[in-house]
Amino acid sequence: MRKIAGFMMAGLIFILGACSSEMDELEDFYMEFQETLEIEEEIRDISSDYNALENERGQIQDNLSTAERGELTEMGETLEANTEERLGLIRAEEAVMAESEEKAAEAAEGIDDIDNDEYRRHAEGLITAADERYDVHGDLMGVFERVLNKEMGLFEHLQSEELSQDTIDDRINTLNEEYEALTEKQDEFATATERLNEVKNEVYSIFAE
């Protein structure tokens, strides 16, 4: 009986050791993937600067309809400079997300090292959710650039000697349509981010079991 009990204990130790090793493999992957989130922390400052410029743009643009003809050139110059700064911030965010995506790809290379099938599926699901989010973010940045370039066209026109109210109205109407498209894409990105967080929490919950 003692010998049987000894075999049972040895088997239990082996199983626990195997589980621990498999958990370590998942944890190694997860910790490397977490570095993508650390990289994206830079976007907070970028977003803060962008929002400040956006507020400035909104205040000036609200005054366009009541501005005197002589004021429009200076307002157009200010708005053009504002837009150039915002374009720079958009490109800075694109660079951060490209770095994040590169780190996610590096983390994905470790999935083959995860022996446990269930753990590997969780890791693959996390990478899939992250890739979908990167794709949506790329689309979002494309819409942002399109909107800002159209804004630039309007603000350059404000400095033109051939300025006309009809042209301004047409450009503003076009911009309003672009703003709607931008809002839709922002909502899509928010949904993709929520999905990524859900999958990330599913992986994290394994460590708490």
Side-chain angles (χ1 to χ4, degrees):
M1 198 64 169
R2 288 178 182 172
K3 181 178 278 189
I4 293 174
F7 281 136
M8 290 177 64
M9 182 61 70
L12 179 61
I13 291 172
F14 177 78
I15 292 171
L16 290 175
C19 289
S20 176
S21 176
E22 291 173 345
M23 187 75 74
D24 288 343
E25 292 166 355
L26 179 62
E27 185 173 4
D28 287 344
F29 158 79
Y30 184 78
M31 293 303 292
E32 185 167 13
F33 180 83
Q34 279 287 96
E35 292 182 32
T36 65
L37 306 181
E38 295 170 9
I39 291 170
E40 290 181 30
E41 284 293 316
E42 295 180 40
I43 292 178
R44 289 188 179 183
D45 290 339
I46 294 173
S47 295
S48 178
D49 291 342
Y50 187 94
N51 290 336
L53 288 168
E54 181 67 13
N55 289 336
E56 177 187 289
R57 190 273 306 168
Q59 290 172 3
I60 298 173
Q61 197 164 320
D62 286 344
N63 294 325
L64 287 177
S65 60
T66 58
E68 297 292 334
R69 177 65 182 83
E71 298 174 310
L72 291 178
T73 297
E74 183 178 350
M75 294 171 76
E77 290 173 350
T78 301
L79 288 167
E80 185 178 350
N82 175 289
T83 304
E84 287 175 350
E85 285 189 65
R86 283 183 291 141
L87 277 168
L89 291 172
I90 289 299
R91 288 161 186 154
E93 180 169 329
E94 287 177 317
V96 172
M97 289 298 284
E99 184 180 354
S100 173
E101 186 172 7
E102 183 177 341
K103 174 54 67 175
E106 291 175 6
E109 293 175 0
I111 291 178
D112 290 340
D113 297 330
I114 302 175
D115 291 328
N116 184 291
D117 290 341
E118 179 186 355
Y119 292 172
R120 188 164 58 251
R121 283 195 298 272
H122 277 289
E124 289 170 345
L126 185 56
I127 291 298
T128 297
D131 286 342
E132 290 173 354
R133 179 172 173 269
Y134 290 129
D135 287 343
V136 174
H137 185 271
D139 293 342
L140 174 60
M141 294 296 100
V143 176
F144 257 118
E145 290 204 29
R146 190 170 73 229
V147 168
L148 293 180
N149 283 325
K150 287 188 179 298
E151 283 187 3
M152 188 73 77
L154 169 61
F155 302 149
E156 288 173 350
H157 181 67
L158 293 177
Q159 304 167 55
S160 170
E161 294 181 358
E162 300 176 358
L163 182 66
S164 71
Q165 188 61 49
D166 287 341
T167 303
I168 292 175
D169 291 342
D170 288 343
R171 288 178 182 270
I172 289 177
N173 288 335
T174 300
L175 269 173
N176 287 335
E177 293 175 3
E178 295 290 352
Y179 290 146
E180 290 179 9
L182 179 60
T183 299
E184 290 177 5
K185 190 58 67 174
Q186 286 175 315
D187 291 342
E188 189 177 338
F189 179 68
T191 299
T193 299
E194 288 174 6
R195 175 56 185 158
L196 176 62
N197 287 333
E198 288 173 2
V199 179
K200 187 165 67 73
N201 289 336
E202 289 171 6
V203 175
Y204 187 76
S205 66
I206 295 173
F207 303 129
E209 292 177 353

